[in-house]
Every structure is written in C-alpha cells, then in structure tokens.
Amino acid sequence: MSNDNTEDTAALCADYQMDTYVRTATIVKGRGSRVFAPNGNQFLDFTSGISVVALGHAHPAVVEAIKSQAETLVHASNLFYTPQVGLLARKLSKAGLGGKCFLCNSGAEANEAMIKLARLWGSQNGGRYEIVCMRGSFHGRTLATLSATGQSKVQKGFDPLMPGFAFADFNDLESVKAAVTEKTVAVLFECVQGEGGVVPATEEFVQGVRALCDEKGLLMLCDEIQCGMGRTGRMWAFEHYGVAPDAFTSAKALGGGLPLGALIASPALSGVFTPGSHGTTFGGNPVACAASLAVFKVFEEEKVVEHAAAAGELFRKGLEAFVEKYDQLLEVRGKGLLLGLVLKEPRAGELIDELRNGGLLACKAGDSVVRFLPPLNVSDDDLEEGLEMVGDALDILFGGDAE
Ligand SMILES: *Cc1c(COP(=O)(O)O)cnc(C)c1O
C-alpha cells in the first residue's frame, strides 16, 4: 500500500509515545498553507501547528535564518551574551512595553516566569501573592500554569493544585472586583480566550481591569501566547483595547516554528528579576531567536499583521454566511485570524473530522467550537478554497436539514 509510511509512523507513535493527544493524521512535509501526508495527500492547514507557523510552513526567510544560525552557533547558554538574543530583546521591547524580556522555550514557561515575577514583585510590595485568573482561560500544562487555568477538565486528578490563584468570570468586571483581596497582586487574562472557546474580551472589561489595577496597585498581566504576534490583526491583542498590561507573555508564533517563549515587562518591572531569581538552560537559544528575528523582518516588510486583519474580515464574512444558512450554527467569534465557528451542539469534533476528510485541517476549542488559525500571510485564494471546504463539510454534516 502506498500509505505504508503512514501506518508505520502512526503505529510507532501509538506504541511508544504517550497518549496525551488524539492524533488523526501523519504529516511529513509543509509548504506555505499546506501540509502533506506520506502518500502525497495534501491538506490546507488552518491550524498553523496551533497558531505557531504564522508565516506558513517552511517560509524561505525563516528557513534561511535557521540554516545559517545552525551553521554559526546553535547554543551557548545564558552564561554568555549572544547577538541574536540582544537583537530580539530590543525588538520585543520596541514592539512591546519599552522594558526588558526574559526568553524561554514555551508558553507555559513564559507564564511560569510571569507568575514568578508577579510573586517576587508582590513579596517586595506588601507581601501579596494571589493572582486573579479567569474562568475558561488556558495558561499551560505545568503545575503553576495548570493551577492558573480556569478549566476543571485539565486540572482533574492533579490535586493538590498550587495555591495562590483566585478565579473570576471572564468579561465580568464585578466578579474580578469581588475576587480581589488584600493578598491580590495581579489580574491575569487572555484578550481573546483561545482554548476556552475563542471568546474575545469586551472593551469595558479590559479597560475596567486596567483601571481597577491602577486603583488597587495590582499588576495587569496578559497571556498573548495564542492571540498575540499579529494573530488578531494587531501585533498584540491588547492593542485593540487602547490599554497596555504591566507584563505579558508570548510564545507559539514567536519562534517561527521553533520553541521560543518570552515574558515581556514594562520598565517598572524589568528590574525585579536579578541574577539567581529565575533561569533557563535553553531559553534564548540562538537558532530560535534567529528564526524569530526573521519572522519580525517579514512581518515588517510584507505588512503581515495588516494582511491578517484584512484576511480575517474576508474569512469571517464567509463563515458568517454559513451561520445564516445552517440552523445548527450559532455564531462566529474571535478577532482577525483567530476565529471560532460556534455550533449549537457539542459536535465540533464531527465537523473537524469531516473537514479533514475534505482536505482542511482545523482545531477544536471546546466541544462546540471549531477554531480556524490560518497562517497570517494566507492568500485570498487559499481562504476561498478553505471556505468552500467548510461549505462542503457543513453540507455533508447538516445538509439534509438546511433551509
Ligand atoms: C498554548 C497556550 C499556552 C501554553 O503554551 P505551551 O507552549 O503549550 O506551553 C498558554 N497560554 C495560551 C493562551 C495558549 O494558547
């Protein structure tokens, strides 16, 4: 059979890799908005590796940066200065809050660093440590970030969770106010909840939290790991709200496909960590930083973030037309190219399977939401093709009942 490779890979992974995910296809190659199975079958990839390959697969500028840095210096450690770290740190400062950053290797690690920064700052400012987090949020799978995540389904069985996190209702300012005590040091949220169902924060909420933090001397912390790096049509999602956090985290798309995370702080918080207070062996890896610098360069040269905003409008309109047509669909949520097609019933998995059968890859965001994360530089043609595939899949799944 021509797909022997598929079976080998799938069997190998099934036999020797822990079952932490339900995996559905074998991918051996990626180019632009497309990925390829061993038998040559191709998929339009509107997962972008879960919002990671913002410039699509194997973007030549990113590939070249990785190759040339790999030939020069792969790793030196944080005991030394490396050029790529300096250049990227300046880039993040200028694109971010004008302060300093801490570089690491993943989203969870970036959030761990942000939680530690808030606690250290709190210990120096009144002995406060509690962080108010949002129900429905997602902040990672390490014990601290799991404890900060407002979804019991990912916490089940891992008790005791880490203390020091309180929970409030997302988009409910009164609930945040009610959760603040004399122990509170910070409020943490995503401007668009990704894993939690593609739910954007309201303007009143974000601006209200900012005002509350200013009034009470709390840190406003944003998790921009999924919604940042241009995904919502702005460099950072908080830019939609006209306010800035005291610190925020980035990862996923930051490294152009390589593992890279960052805690990005305002100048006021940039001196809280001192030698010995936090660390990482791999963080700020020169190859990942070189890839990231290439991503920023392409963003600037090709106006990728502006393109993402326009592409998001086009795709949203197409999805909204399906909501008009199919009674089984509730609405389209999200911003830019972080879009969720919300079903009235928990059938997102079925729709995703049907999409994949038709050649389109999409993610779940809870049981009722199909999440689309196309590359930010996706072409209009690919978006139109994707919409056709969505139409076909909806037709197969719900066609009999359409008006
Ligand atoms: C993916 C994600 C994380 C965790 O990132 P990892 O790199 O998987 O550790 C944290 N926060 C948000 C909002 C995410 O989407």
Side-chain angles (χ1 to χ4, degrees):
M1 265 175 78
S2 62
N3 65 349
D4 272 358
N5 278 335
T6 312
E7 288 171 290
D8 287 350
T9 300
L12 272 175
C13 292
D15 286 349
Y16 297 106
Q17 187 182 26
M18 290 188 185
D19 282 332
T20 49
Y21 286 81
V22 179
R23 298 180 177 87
T24 52
T26 299
I27 305 295
V28 292
K29 183 175 143 176
R31 283 288 179 284
S33 302
R34 272 152 230 277
V35 291
F36 299 84
N39 62 6
N41 276 357
Q42 57 171 280
F43 299 95
L44 196 52
D45 181 12
F46 282 8
T47 72
S48 299
I50 320 187
S51 199
V52 167
V53 287
L55 297 176
H57 295 273
H59 189 285
V62 177
V63 171
E64 185 45 43
I66 292 171
K67 275 189 183 167
S68 111
Q69 187 56 42
E71 285 168 350
T72 311
L73 178 70
V74 168
H75 175 82
S77 91
N78 280 299
L79 298 176
F80 309 103
Y81 297 111
T82 51
Q84 294 69 36
V85 167
L87 294 170
L88 182 61
R90 180 174 65 190
K91 191 63 83 186
L92 291 174
S93 179
K94 295 212 171 348
L97 304 175
K100 297 182 177 181
C101 67
F102 173 83
L103 297 176
C104 52
N105 314 286
S106 71
E109 268 185 87
N111 281 337
E112 286 273 346
M114 188 155 69
I115 291 164
K116 282 183 71 177
L117 184 84
R119 284 195 178 186
L120 191 55
W121 182 83
S123 79
Q124 299 159 356
N125 287 272
R128 297 173 290 149
Y129 57 85
E130 197 159 84
I131 301 178
V132 177
C133 307
M134 301 304 135
R135 297 196 177 90
S137 63
F138 182 82
H139 299 299
R141 300 291 195 151
T142 60
L143 267 174
T145 58
L146 190 68
S147 304
T149 290
Q151 300 189 51
S152 49
K153 68 176 185 203
V154 298
Q155 297 173 329
K156 221 174 133 222
F158 296 108
D159 288 326
L161 296 176
M162 188 169 292
F165 301 97
F167 286 90
D169 288 327
F170 189 51
N171 280 337
D172 181 346
L173 186 59
E174 290 312 312
S175 145
V176 177
K177 285 183 180 165
V180 171
T181 70
E182 75 283 352
K183 291 177 298 187
T184 308
V185 70
V187 180
L188 166 63
F189 63 94
E190 301 150 84
C191 284
V192 182
Q193 289 190 340
E195 308 294 321
V198 192
V199 188
T202 62
E203 217 162 88
E204 306 82 76
F205 181 74
V206 177
Q207 293 173 356
V209 169
R210 180 68 271 178
L212 177 70
C213 288
D214 290 342
E215 183 198 323
K216 304 263 185 197
L218 311 175
L219 304 177
M220 180 170 121
L221 308 176
C222 287
D223 179 338
E224 291 266 346
I225 289 164
Q226 182 154 172
C227 59
M229 283 302 284
R231 178 52 58 188
T232 68
R234 298 282 179 90
M235 191 60 202
W236 309 112
F238 61 75
E239 292 173 16
H240 289 282
Y241 301 89
V243 295
D246 297 293
F248 68 96
T249 47
S250 177
K252 288 199 163 89
L254 181 63
L258 293 194
L260 182 64
L263 160 63
I264 297 156
S266 67
L269 291 179
S270 291
V272 176
F273 282 157
T274 52
S277 44
H278 194 48
T280 161
T281 300
F282 286 117
N285 173 272
V287 182
C289 290
S292 183
L293 284 165
V295 170
F296 276 99
K297 190 152 180 272
V298 175
F299 269 30
E300 285 155 25
E301 286 173 358
E302 298 177 15
K303 300 214 180 313
V304 171
V305 180
E306 291 85 342
H307 175 81
E313 279 312 303
L314 187 106
F315 201 65
R316 172 190 282 274
K317 286 209 179 80
L319 292 178
E320 277 169 351
F322 295 131
V323 175
E324 293 291 306
K325 184 170 174 197
Y326 291 98
D327 208 32
Q328 292 86 347
L329 302 177
L330 181 66
E331 60 177 340
V332 180
R333 284 201 299 248
K335 282 184 188 294
L337 281 174
L338 171 48
L339 292 172
L341 181 60
V342 187
L343 286 78
K344 288 182 183 160
E345 292 188 6
R347 298 179 66 183
E350 284 172 66
L351 180 52
I352 287 168
D353 288 344
E354 210 52 72
L355 289 169
R356 191 178 58 254
N357 291 339
L360 179 66
L361 303 181
C363 293
K364 247 167 98 169
D367 292 333
S368 307
V369 183
V370 176
R371 179 175 33 154
F372 294 99
L373 302 157
L376 303 186
N377 61 352
V378 64
S379 70
D380 288 359
D381 283 351
D382 284 346
L383 284 179
E384 299 287 1
E385 190 182 338
L387 284 169
E388 267 176 44
M389 290 169 166
V390 176
D392 292 345
L394 288 170
D395 203 38
I396 292 171
L397 209 55
F398 303 135
D401 313 336
E403 295 156 36

